[in-house]
Amino acid sequence: MSTAPSTSPNPGSARTGAPPSDETPHAVAPAPKSRGPWAPLRPLVLRLHFYAGVFVAPFLLVAATTGFLYAGAFQAEKLVYSHEMTVPVGDTKLPISEQVDAAREAHPEGTVSAVRPSPQDDATTRVMLSGVKGVAATHTLAVFVDPYTGKVRGALEQYGSTGALPLRTWIDEFHRDLHLGENGRLYSELAASWLWVIAGGGLVLWFSRRRALRKVRGTTGRRRTLGLHGTVGVWAAAGFIFLSATGLTWSTYAGANVDVLRTSLGQATPSVSAAASGGEHAGHDTASAAGGDGEHGVGLDTILAAARTEGLGDPVEIVPPADASSAYVVKQVQRSWPEKQDAVAVDPATGEVTDVLRFDEYPLLAKLTRWGIDLHTGVLFGLVNQLALMALAGSLILLIVWGYRMWWQRGRGSAFGRPVPRGAWAQVPPYVLVPLLAGVAVVGYFVPLLGIPLAGFLVVDVVLGEIAHRRGRRTAA
């Protein structure tokens, strides 16, 4: 026999007997016609929000906790590695070539893959070495050199374009893939794929409730938990949707689809041409790359001077030629606002600039992607950006805890609560349901870690519904 869902805020508070389970069939009352064709969507959204919250929330909890730690890692890094990163301000900085020589004398292993000259008066120069034994292939060994004295102040493993040192690298990789490699990235992509759905569904549910049911003050029990959950969720929803969208841009599967879409629209991120000019001296003496000292052709000092004449101010990174037919690439690496992302290619034989790429020339979507990623990682607006990310991560942790508490409070005593009754989709008019399903299918295709679990939810729900239906028929018989 069908059982109508209770409208009580806490169905276990005034009844006795066995709690209703997911196997108990529930009849969904048709929505009043005066509420329009969209009214039946609310219980459908509620059921999706419930399932996603229960099963995806553990992944979101890990992502939020590690994201909170990562946002704070920038300031912790400055404290932990202050000896390597900073120096007393001196009178005159040495030529960059002498600083690289000092680094190579202390660390002759590997090859020079990049050099970041001291960007501030009290900052060290970083000489990055690749192919160093014991250092991961995707990482480099950063040698920190005092730009005034040439003294090496230390060497640390470094990762990524923001120059993350061991502490921040460990937290970053934990946040991204749980230190499980490429397969581990599926967890963070799953979390990012569902975060915007859960946040959007929460907004729909909150604003579709009567105003009197949204308040927190003067309430108790499940209703108070619901009020806290909804209020914080509404204020943080825009941030969650932003984090979800930007996180997906460099995820494994959805990120690849985003790249294909951007390329098809002519919005891919451009890069400076690293081909040498091709004159009679092109490639001359560049075979010294095998020596790994970073000096090719005219040398680093001339290369840096050429980049300065094109207006490339600090901070910059100098990348030596990849082979005899390549040029130096000097690029700005400031990710804080205002961003400095200009780049030039310089012929190693002549010291002439062969190509220039300005950030102003980037396509719109390329700029938005750059800003979005930097805002997501906490570098665009520095400390303020990092504090905002920590507040968002803390909010998400609270919302998850409150969500599970509401589920518990839906139950009876010591048992977790029943799920939201099924069958709401049957009340949605076909002219609303069909386009909705088509849209969900398209989004699910481009965001597979949303589409595949959603299909799984639907299959499980249909199977459980059929089991409950058959048991109901047997009971009635």
Side-chain angles (χ1 to χ4, degrees):
M1 181 178 295
S2 297
T3 304
S6 170
T7 57
S8 171
N10 190 353
S13 61
R15 298 183 185 179
T16 58
S21 68
D22 191 47
E23 297 178 355
T24 304
H26 297 276
V28 178
K33 293 183 178 180
S34 59
R35 297 176 63 190
W38 295 98
L41 285 178
R42 188 183 190 280
L44 194 62
V45 172
L46 180 58
R47 190 164 180 81
L48 177 62
H49 190 74
F50 169 81
Y51 269 134
V54 170
F55 296 110
V56 180
F59 299 97
L60 287 172
L61 183 61
V62 174
T65 303
T66 55
F68 182 93
L69 294 175
Y70 182 77
F74 287 91
Q75 302 305 317
E77 185 177 67
K78 294 178 182 179
L79 296 174
V80 174
Y81 305 115
S82 60
H83 176 76
E84 289 83 1
M85 297 175 67
T86 60
V87 294
V89 178
D91 296 327
T92 305
K93 291 182 179 180
L94 298 172
I96 194 65
S97 58
E98 293 185 23
Q99 298 180 51
V100 173
D101 288 342
R104 296 301 285 154
E105 183 178 352
H107 292 273
E109 65 273 24
T111 59
V112 177
S113 58
V115 179
R116 292 191 177 185
S118 168
Q120 292 97 25
D121 291 340
D122 64 345
T124 52
T125 291
R126 296 193 191 190
V127 180
M128 278 79 85
L129 308 178
S130 60
V132 177
K133 186 177 180 180
V135 176
T138 56
H139 297 185
T140 59
L141 181 69
V143 182
F144 297 83
V145 182
D146 187 326
Y148 302 101
T149 66
K151 179 181 178 181
V152 173
R153 296 180 64 85
L156 296 168
E157 195 166 335
Q158 177 178 297
Y159 170 75
S161 58
T162 61
L165 298 178
L167 173 63
R168 184 155 58 93
T169 298
W170 191 93
I171 297 174
D172 179 22
E173 293 178 346
F174 189 31
H175 177 66
R176 186 177 65 251
D177 59 22
L178 302 178
H179 293 284
L180 298 175
E182 285 301 311
N183 291 333
R185 293 184 65 182
L186 297 179
Y187 116 84
S188 57
E189 183 169 353
L190 177 69
S193 299
W194 278 92
L195 179 56
W196 68 275
V197 176
I198 296 174
L203 285 175
V204 171
L205 295 173
W206 183 251
F207 286 108
S208 64
R209 289 174 63 86
R210 294 193 302 275
R211 183 177 295 274
L213 297 178
R214 300 180 197 164
K215 67 179 183 179
V216 178
R217 186 175 301 177
T219 59
T220 58
R222 183 176 180 274
R223 186 172 172 185
R224 178 174 177 80
T225 307
L226 176 61
L228 291 169
H229 181 89
T231 302
V232 173
V234 165
W235 282 104
F240 295 155
I241 293 171
F242 167 80
L243 290 177
S244 176
T246 52
L248 288 174
T249 58
W250 75 92
S251 62
T252 302
Y253 297 106
N257 290 331
V258 171
D259 288 342
V260 171
L261 178 62
R262 286 177 52 200
T263 300
S264 66
L265 296 174
Q267 296 288 307
T269 301
S271 59
V272 68
S273 174
S277 62
E280 63 175 315
H281 298 292
H284 185 64
D285 285 340
T286 58
S288 63
D293 58 1
E295 291 284 355
H296 307 251
V298 297
L300 290 173
D301 299 316
T302 301
I303 299 299
L304 183 58
R308 298 298 193 200
T309 62
E310 291 292 335
L312 269 69
D314 287 324
V316 297
E317 180 177 285
I318 308 169
V319 181
D323 50 47
S325 61
S326 299
Y328 280 92
V329 171
V330 184
K331 54 187 178 182
Q332 292 178 309
V333 291
Q334 179 168 304
R335 296 290 179 80
S336 58
W337 188 268
E339 296 221 359
K340 296 181 180 179
Q341 296 292 312
D342 293 352
V344 299
V346 184
D347 192 310
T350 65
E352 297 179 355
V353 174
T354 59
D355 192 29
V356 179
L357 176 63
R358 304 293 183 186
F359 185 64
D360 289 342
E361 300 170 359
Y362 278 33
L364 177 60
L365 289 184
K367 288 181 178 179
L368 292 176
T369 299
R370 178 74 276 150
W371 292 328
I373 291 175
D374 293 339
L375 192 59
H376 183 110
T377 54
V379 298
L380 189 59
F381 297 114
L383 180 60
V384 173
N385 194 167
Q386 293 148 23
L387 291 175
L389 289 174
M390 294 176 76
L392 275 176
S395 298
L396 184 54
I397 292 170
L398 287 175
L399 289 171
I400 292 170
V401 172
W402 284 329
Y404 279 115
R405 178 168 173 75
M406 281 192 297
W407 184 26
W408 177 271
Q409 290 172 326
R410 285 175 64 90
R412 302 175 185 272
S414 61
F416 273 112
R418 56 180 170 78
V420 178
R422 64 171 58 86
W425 65 271
Q427 304 298 326
V428 182
Y431 62 86
V432 174
L433 184 62
V434 172
L436 179 64
L437 291 177
V440 169
V442 172
V443 173
Y445 175 81
F446 284 101
V447 188
L449 290 191
L450 169 65
I452 295 173
L454 180 57
F457 288 162
L458 293 175
V459 169
V460 171
D461 205 38
V462 168
V463 171
L464 292 178
E466 181 62 23
I467 293 174
H469 177 68
R470 292 184 178 183
R471 287 182 176 178
R473 291 177 59 185
R474 288 200 300 267
T475 301

